[in-house]
Amino acid sequence: RMRYSTDRDTPAEPEYRPIGAFIDYYLANDVDGVVTLEIVGEDGSAIRSFSSEDSLAESGETVEPGMGAVPIPSDASTRVLPATSGMHRFVWNLRHVRPWGGDPQRDRLGGPLVAPGTYEARLTADGQTFTRMFRVLIDPRVEADGVTRSDLLAQEELNLRIRDLLGEARRSADRIEDLREELNGRIEAAEAADRDVGEAREVASELKDLHEALVSDPKVFYPQRMLIDQLEYLYGMTTSADQRPGADAFQRIETLDAELDELITRLNNIVRDRLPELNARLDTVG
């Protein structure tokens, strides 16, 4: 369980060993169905799932530096499992699923590293399932500095919580954008029909305020960092090194969690209590 870059700018640079667990498997014949691989934790829950189907594949997982964040090493894994006959090697990068981002090609945040421990690789092909146990070991240099498995378990738990909140905030921002676009279309149609749109504009303004509380203004050179940026920053800072997070990180996530919960409550109230009747009135002809 180590952290280093495997990127090469030129062919003359050294080629480093990929980061992760090497999982080798052999298929005597081409598999007509789907080949799947699950990584299972000590508690029996699936941490990652991979497949020979393109639709289930994930793109590379890296993070671009921002607000002082340290880059996460590139994802060395082959994201699609080969289903053809022969010998194959799959490298799991020892990471959980990354934060939900909407657009995998643009979002470069990687998933949190798993803590040291015992894991299981579960390969299913052609109706047969094969399992192998393996251990993820702490970096001995990190251990020599006094970092323990307990520290890394606490870090993993916090990273997963931040990841989930970040995904929820991003989904909420996308949801608000869709609602605003739909509502603005109705407002334009209602204005063209000379109908009252006063309340509709109030709701549109409230949705705009919610979106601005989540997303920093891209048109401002040094914008105030809003909730999603703050979660991304906290995520980058707490995933960038092997260590037990400080108390301030736990305090900060409580604050951001409460802020996000308030925003989502306001959004749900608008969607439940105001939009259905408002949309019906705006859609009324005449």
Side-chain angles (χ1 to χ4, degrees), residues 62 143 170 189 192 266-267:
T62 61
E143 190 173 30
R170 288 171 165 179
R266 289 169 57 192
L267 174 60

Side-chain angles (χ1 to χ4, degrees), residues 48 63 70 76 87 102 115 172 177 183-184 213 244 254 259 269 286:
R48 297 296 297 270
V63 59
V70 177
M87 195 72 193
S172 296
E177 286 184 358
L183 181 57
N184 287 334
R244 178 181 287 272
E254 292 295 338
E259 291 180 8
N269 288 340

